Amino acid sequence: MCNISKGVEEKGIQKGIVAMVSVLKELQIADDIILSKIWEKFRLTEETAETYLKEITLGDLKENI
């Protein structure tokens, strides 16, 4: 049961990151500011945050969620 809830939590966090980055991109916020917001709000590593930004920019991650 614990593994299922962890998976659901991770999926929700991922959706939140995608939504946040998508909105900031639509508002034409600079990528470096978006990265700092991802680090701040979700406590991710710089590398992970950059991966989200790149995948969202390319549209890959949105389609998988």
Side-chain angles (χ1 to χ4, degrees):
M1 193 74 159
C2 186
N3 290 336
I4 292 172
S5 62
K6 184 69 175 168
V8 170
E9 177 184 25
E10 289 175 9
K11 191 74 162 177
I13 291 169
Q14 191 176 44
K15 284 184 177 186
I17 294 170
V18 169
M20 179 178 159
V21 172
S22 295
V23 167
L24 293 174
K25 292 293 266 179
E26 287 174 11
L27 294 172
Q28 299 179 344
I29 304 297
D31 287 352
D32 58 333
I33 295 172
I34 293 173
L35 285 174
S36 71
K37 293 297 180 187
I38 294 172
W39 298 329
E40 179 184 321
K41 298 293 180 188
F42 298 99
R43 296 186 178 113
L44 301 175
T45 65
E46 182 177 352
E47 187 176 291
T48 302
E50 287 176 352
T51 300
Y52 272 109
L53 182 62
K54 287 177 187 175
E55 289 179 352
I56 291 166
T57 300
L58 297 174
D60 295 340
L61 196 57
K62 279 187 197 176
E63 295 170 8
N64 293 330
I65 294 181

